[in-house]
Amino acid sequence: MEVVFSFWGVLIASLIAGLPLVVKPVQSALESLSARLGEAARVLGKGEPEIFLRVLLPNIRGSLAAGLVLGLGRSLGEVGITLMLGGNVSGRTTTVSLEIFNAVGGGEFERAAVLSLLLGLVSLALFAVLRRLGAL
């Protein structure tokens, strides 16, 4: 499987760009949980995977969702990493942010403005989702 200049390269670039914004809220949420929750589950005979899925995950789902939305927003606007790993292969690995980059480079400023407006509207929608989740 070839990674560079492929869909997988774009996917990996998006994960790399968005991961820090997912990890931080989840880390903070896990640190704020009482250690007694896990201890109580262990006393009741639960294994580590079950403790994570049935005790910890339900308690951090809001922070996880907020982190995923933030990571998605960050990866949507990424140009540099996407350009390096995914390339800029027309029709295969082009993202909206790369299309804006290409439009400006080609002097198509109106097209770049429309795409920027579209990306801005998606960002506002993500912001509304964060507000709805209570993360902001």
Side-chain angles (χ1 to χ4, degrees):
M1 173 176 73
E2 189 172 316
V3 174
V4 178
F5 305 133
S6 69
F7 166 78
W8 297 108
V10 172
L11 187 65
I12 290 170
S14 296
L15 287 171
I16 290 169
L19 189 62
L21 294 174
V22 176
V23 169
K24 194 61 182 169
V26 170
Q27 180 183 13
S28 296
L30 286 171
E31 288 173 354
S32 70
L33 286 178
S34 173
R36 290 186 175 186
L37 290 173
E39 291 171 11
R42 280 185 201 86
V43 167
L44 293 171
K46 305 300 178 193
E48 294 301 318
E50 193 171 9
I51 291 171
F52 177 74
L53 291 173
R54 293 185 162 216
V55 177
L56 298 179
L57 195 58
N59 283 296
I60 64 164
R61 70 176 179 257
S63 296
L64 178 60
L68 289 172
V69 169
L70 285 170
L72 174 64
R74 171 68 173 95
S75 64
L76 285 176
E78 180 56 48
V79 173
I81 299 172
T82 306
L83 189 60
M84 295 301 291
L85 279 178
N88 198 0
V89 182
S90 183
R92 260 190 35 192
T93 62
T94 304
T95 61
V96 175
S97 54
L98 283 176
E99 277 300 313
I100 295 168
F101 176 78
N102 292 335
V104 169
E108 301 176 67
F109 299 112
E110 288 180 18
R111 182 168 178 254
V114 169
L115 290 172
S116 296
L117 180 64
L118 174 69
L119 201 55
L121 290 173
V122 170
S123 298
L124 287 174
L126 290 175
F127 179 73
V129 168
L130 285 174
R131 293 287 302 220
R132 186 113 164 116
L133 290 172
L136 293 178

